[in-house]
Amino acid sequence: MDNLIPIVNKLQDAFTSLGVHMQLDLPQIAVVGGQSAGKSSVLENFVGKDFLPRGSGIVTRRPLILQLIHGVTEYGEFLHCKGKKFLNFDEIRKEIEDETDRVTGSNKGISNIPINLRVYSPHVLNLTLIDLPGLTKVAIGDQPVDIEQQIKQMIFQFIRKETCLILAVTPANTDLANSDALKLAKEVDPQGVRTIGVITKLDLMDEGTDARDILENKLLPLRRGYIGVVNRSQKDIEGRKDIHQALAAERKFFLSHSSYRHMADRLGTPYLQRVLNQQLTNHIRDTLPGLRDKLQKQMLTLEKEVEEFKHFQPGDASIKTKAMLQMIQQLQSDFERTIEGSGSALVNTNELSGGAKINRIFHERLRFEIVKMACDEKELRREISFAIRNIHGIRVGLFTPDMAFEAIVKRQIALLKEPVIKCVDLVVQELSVVVRMCTAKMGRYPRLREETERIITTHVRQREHSCKEQILLLIDFELAYMNTNHEDFIGFANAQNKSENANKTGTRQLGNQVIRKGHMVIQNLGIMKGGSRPYWFVLTSESISWYKDEDEKEKKFMLPLDGLKLRDIEQGFMSMSRRVTFALFSPDGRNVYKDYKQLELSCETVEDVESWKASFLRAGVYPEKQETQENGDENQRPLKTPIL
């Protein structure tokens, strides 16, 4: 029985030294608790030495696998420094800090790569514990904003396994119902079968209160119960108070306290160490048969694979076919994830791509192209006038002929062909980019990659042709029959009034949702007024705001979008800037920003500007309609100016 824990320690070291992911759920004890709950003090009391890093904030930033081994001499040994014995425990602390910084950096980052420390001492019992980072609420230093969630995920990696015992450390001077450790343990062990409760700081409870009900397992019962300990205070630690003296003071505290003296033999650090040794030994004994079966199955699988490679022939057609099918399946998985957005190693962190870009093409670019091709109202009235007169011929008509209406409407419907076909082309272009990206893993086999890209691209082109035919057929359907019974015709006047009122009042149905974020330059402000430099813009359905940087902490201004329009800005001949500029302005001539009639914004490329315009369109900001030139001659057609 005494050899069970050392056997598991050897397995643990083997997995860590090989650098492979631990696929076996080894029996172990994970120490869980909030910051400053006393986890480190409990572990140091086991060893009888100060050897763990201390300080404010997150001190334990990597899992520490602490293997306590009963021996004659007292020293420590790290797996990453194999063969080097640390006789001075202050050097052990420094090595833990240095090894943590080597992986996580020196500014409070965290990592789930464990540090293996083995401590030999005549004062310890055979025991293996995993010291995990304490839960934190606020990110400091270079920590990400989701630091709390990252620490939880790291803790769950260990305590979720059925073979892991959970040592939930909770300070007695906080409400047990608010214990972070018990909350985490409850999520993975709702029956309390694998959880061992440890109550620290019993000497710091308010006068007149005690934790008797908790220690007697009456308040929040656990199958394995609670054990109370008294650690050294911060003053004792800074004063380098001897741990053996602290253990004697702990024993004296329990024997002299009226609420704890009747259970003093079941409290304290030495009792906790004995209980954990016994619990872990029994746990290993119970889980060892299943662990052995799992190891044997994995070994048989590996032996089978090794046997196959003994007779490996590079020219074997079956092996080539298997390898090719695996690559094709990987390609299929990567392509599907890139389009569906379920996440993969190929995810682009610099710009929109794959399914997200196709989504923008459908919901922003297509709508923008349709609005951009909107006809001029005066020109349309002129065409309607000529159509009516030409339909009547030599007759004098009283009512508007249907044929004139159909002729004009069919021309407008036919204009839809260009933007929708352009939308299809953009989608096909993006699909080709995704195919090239997904086939990059076949780079070792150029001919296979080339042939795969050719087959997929050919199929996409065939589907593109069918898609365009279907779209043109749908437009022909619309041209073939005018449904004048549709509600848009019956309530046209009301619909038009409603639309105009919505544009005037700025009321939208989107809610104040964020539509887009990105960098732009305010072009028409001087350097002294904060212009000619990039700001971080946040476009919502009701306003556009700009900030000093991406942190969005220092807001410079918020501009409501009510009644605003868009127009292009032509760069002058003498302009040195190659940026593409557009402007926000108010048609009624009011100032848009401070004493400026328009706010000129610029991007580096035409594509960026077009994308921003499409986003503004979603927010209800439409491009300016250019006026046509009129000379009073009805027979002379006006010159058309581009809308954008």
Side-chain angles (χ1 to χ4, degrees):
M1 290 291 288
D2 294 338
N3 294 327
L4 288 179
I5 294 178
I7 288 173
V8 174
N9 288 345
K10 289 180 181 179
L11 286 172
Q12 212 156 27
D13 289 347
F15 279 112
T16 307
S17 59
L18 289 173
V20 298
H21 179 68
M22 190 180 294
Q23 297 177 344
L24 287 174
D25 296 341
L26 296 177
Q28 53 198 4
I29 300 177
V31 185
V32 179
Q35 283 191 44
S36 303
K39 304 188 303 298
S40 297
S41 296
V42 171
L43 298 180
E44 287 181 339
N45 289 348
F46 287 167
V47 179
K49 297 285 186 179
D50 291 324
F51 67 96
L52 292 175
R54 292 186 178 275
S56 60
I58 301 179
V59 178
T60 306
R61 295 184 283 127
R62 289 176 60 184
L64 175 67
I65 299 178
L66 178 62
Q67 299 174 357
L68 305 181
I69 300 173
H70 185 78
V72 179
T73 57
E74 193 171 52
Y75 65 92
E77 190 177 56
F78 287 96
L79 190 63
H80 63 271
C81 301
K82 206 161 187 180
K84 181 179 179 181
K85 295 183 179 181
F86 291 81
L87 301 176
N88 188 340
F89 280 77
D90 289 334
E91 293 181 4
I92 292 179
R93 180 192 298 111
K94 187 176 185 307
E95 182 61 29
I96 292 174
E97 293 173 349
D98 293 343
E99 180 64 18
T100 299
D101 290 344
R102 275 193 284 270
V103 174
T104 64
S106 58
N107 204 3
K108 304 299 182 182
I110 66 170
S111 170
N112 60 356
I113 302 174
I115 299 174
N116 284 59
L117 171 62
R118 184 176 292 176
V119 175
Y120 296 85
S121 173
H123 309 297
V124 301
L125 299 175
N126 289 342
L127 190 60
T128 301
L129 299 158
I130 302 176
D131 187 20
L132 296 171
L135 283 173
T136 184
K137 304 294 183 183
V138 181
I140 60 174
D142 288 340
Q143 293 173 352
V145 293
D146 62 338
I147 184 71
E148 181 183 7
Q149 194 61 32
Q150 288 190 21
I151 293 176
K152 282 185 178 180
Q153 290 176 357
M154 183 193 300
I155 293 173
F156 281 139
Q157 285 179 2
F158 290 91
I159 67 174
R160 189 178 285 116
K161 300 171 183 176
E162 291 295 328
T163 56
C164 179
L165 297 179
I166 306 168
L167 194 67
V169 181
T170 304
N173 55 358
T174 61
D175 192 348
L176 196 66
N178 296 327
S179 169
D180 292 327
L182 290 176
K183 181 181 178 183
L184 290 176
K186 195 78 173 176
E187 290 187 34
V188 296
D189 181 30
Q191 304 300 323
V193 176
R194 297 187 286 119
T195 306
I196 305 169
V198 176
I199 307 298
T200 62
K201 302 184 181 181
L202 289 166
D203 55 331
L204 300 181
M205 296 187 71
D206 292 339
E207 191 174 348
T209 62
D210 58 57
R212 180 171 175 174
D213 288 343
I214 299 173
L215 296 175
E216 290 180 348
N217 209 17
K218 295 178 180 178
L219 190 59
L220 289 174
L222 294 175
R223 190 74 60 86
R224 299 175 187 264
Y226 293 87
I227 300 172
V229 296
V230 175
N231 298 324
R232 293 176 299 164
S233 65
Q234 187 63 33
K235 182 180 179 181
D236 294 337
I237 295 170
E238 293 173 357
R240 310 289 289 183
K241 182 177 180 179
D242 186 66
I243 291 181
H244 297 291
Q245 295 179 8
L247 293 176
E250 178 190 50
R251 178 68 176 166
K252 183 179 178 181
F253 171 80
F254 287 127
L255 288 173
S256 60
H257 199 287
S258 58
S259 299
Y260 308 134
R261 65 165 63 101
H262 69 286
M263 61 177 89
D265 58 333
R266 291 180 280 113
L267 299 174
T269 302
Y271 177 74
L272 174 62
Q273 191 174 8
R274 291 196 303 271
V275 168
L276 293 181
N277 172 264
Q278 188 62 42
Q279 297 267 21
L280 183 58
T281 303
N282 294 338
H283 189 55
I284 294 173
R285 182 192 62 196
D286 295 339
T287 57
L288 206 54
L291 184 64
R292 183 185 59 193
D293 292 343
K294 193 170 183 179
L295 268 174
Q296 287 178 342
K297 288 179 181 178
Q298 290 189 7
M299 188 172 67
L300 289 173
T301 303
L302 288 174
E303 287 178 349
K304 185 178 178 181
E305 292 180 1
V306 170
E307 192 66 29
E308 290 178 359
F309 280 107
K310 283 183 180 179
H311 307 288
F312 176 76
Q313 295 293 331
D316 191 345
S318 62
I319 295 178
K320 288 183 178 180
T321 304
K322 182 180 179 181
M324 186 183 70
L325 288 175
Q326 287 177 342
M327 284 187 284
I328 296 298
Q329 288 174 349
Q330 183 65 43
L331 170 66
Q332 176 187 353
S333 176
D334 290 341
F335 186 85
E336 183 178 349
R337 287 179 177 179
T338 305
I339 298 299
E340 295 294 335
S342 56
S344 69
L346 301 173
V347 64
N348 193 332
T349 58
N350 298 318
E351 60 181 359
L352 284 182
S353 62
K357 191 167 184 178
I358 292 173
N359 180 67
R360 172 167 283 184
I361 291 171
F362 284 139
H363 291 90
E364 293 185 5
R365 191 62 182 266
L366 176 60
R367 187 180 174 192
F368 176 65
E369 294 293 336
I370 291 175
V371 170
K372 193 166 68 171
M373 63 108 190
C375 63
D376 181 71
E377 187 175 341
K378 292 183 179 179
E379 173 64 15
L380 183 61
R381 290 181 181 276
R382 178 185 288 272
E383 291 176 357
I384 292 173
S385 174
F386 280 120
I388 292 174
R389 292 164 65 179
N390 286 331
I391 291 295
H392 283 304
I394 62 172
R395 298 183 303 277
V396 178
L398 180 61
F399 300 104
T400 302
D402 291 344
M403 291 182 64
F405 167 77
E406 289 189 7
I408 297 298
V409 172
K410 284 182 178 180
R411 285 191 57 188
Q412 297 302 314
I413 294 175
L415 292 176
L416 291 172
K417 291 182 180 180
E418 182 180 348
V420 295
I421 295 299
K422 184 177 181 180
C423 178
V424 173
D425 292 336
L426 290 173
V427 172
V428 170
Q429 180 182 347
E430 183 58 29
L431 287 176
S432 301
V433 172
V434 172
V435 170
R436 285 195 299 272
M437 181 176 65
C438 292
T439 55
K441 292 183 179 180
M442 297 180 177
R444 291 179 298 173
Y445 309 99
R447 289 183 60 188
L448 175 63
R449 180 180 182 180
E450 181 182 348
E451 188 65 16
T452 303
E453 288 184 5
R454 186 192 66 79
I455 292 172
I456 298 176
T457 304
T458 301
H459 180 73
V460 170
R461 293 298 177 187
Q462 291 174 351
R463 295 301 95 200
E464 175 192 5
H465 181 69
S466 301
C467 180
K468 287 181 177 179
E469 285 185 345
Q470 188 71 17
I471 289 173
L472 295 177
L473 184 61
L474 287 172
I475 293 177
D476 289 340
F477 288 166
E478 299 295 334
L479 292 172
Y481 179 75
M482 302 296 168
N483 181 16
T484 54
N485 285 328
H486 195 276
E487 60 181 6
D488 288 349
F489 284 91
I490 297 173
F492 175 72
N494 292 333
Q496 187 178 33
N497 291 334
K498 185 177 179 181
S499 176
E500 291 177 354
N501 291 334
N503 287 332
K504 289 179 181 179
T505 59
T507 56
R508 302 176 179 86
Q509 302 300 321
L510 291 174
N512 194 25
Q513 63 182 12
V514 175
I515 296 176
R516 187 187 180 119
K517 296 183 179 182
H519 283 105
M520 285 192 292
V521 171
I522 302 178
Q523 199 71 20
N524 61 326
L525 298 186
I527 297 178
M528 299 301 293
K529 293 187 177 181
S532 301
R533 58 160 299 225
Y535 287 101
W536 180 255
F537 284 79
V538 177
L539 174 65
T540 70
S541 56
E542 296 182 357
S543 65
I544 182 168
S545 307
W546 56 94
Y547 299 81
K548 181 180 179 181
D549 49 38
E550 298 179 19
D551 293 337
E552 298 182 14
K553 292 181 179 178
E554 186 178 339
K555 181 184 285 189
K556 294 296 184 181
F557 196 78
M558 184 180 75
L559 178 64
L561 298 177
D562 295 342
L564 296 186
K565 296 283 186 180
L566 278 174
R567 67 158 61 114
D568 285 338
I569 301 294
E570 296 290 338
Q571 293 289 348
F573 178 74
M574 299 299 293
S575 175
M576 300 296 293
S577 174
R578 296 184 177 181
R579 300 180 67 87
V580 186
T581 308
F582 67 99
L584 293 170
F585 73 99
S586 177
D588 57 9
R590 61 181 171 86
N591 291 341
V592 173
Y593 173 62
K594 296 184 177 178
D595 55 347
Y596 291 91
K597 296 292 184 183
Q598 63 182 19
L599 183 69
E600 298 180 8
L601 305 173
S602 68
C603 301
E604 292 185 355
T605 64
V606 175
E607 184 179 355
D608 289 340
V609 169
E610 295 291 321
S611 183
W612 269 105
K613 287 180 181 178
S615 299
F616 273 107
L617 193 64
R618 287 186 61 192
V621 180
Y622 287 80
E624 173 189 25
K625 289 185 178 180
Q626 299 289 343
E627 298 292 335
T628 56
Q629 298 178 355
E630 288 188 293
N631 58 5
D633 186 1
E634 188 177 64
N635 295 319
Q636 182 176 351
R637 300 184 64 83
L639 296 174
K640 292 185 178 180
T641 56
I643 300 300
L644 288 173

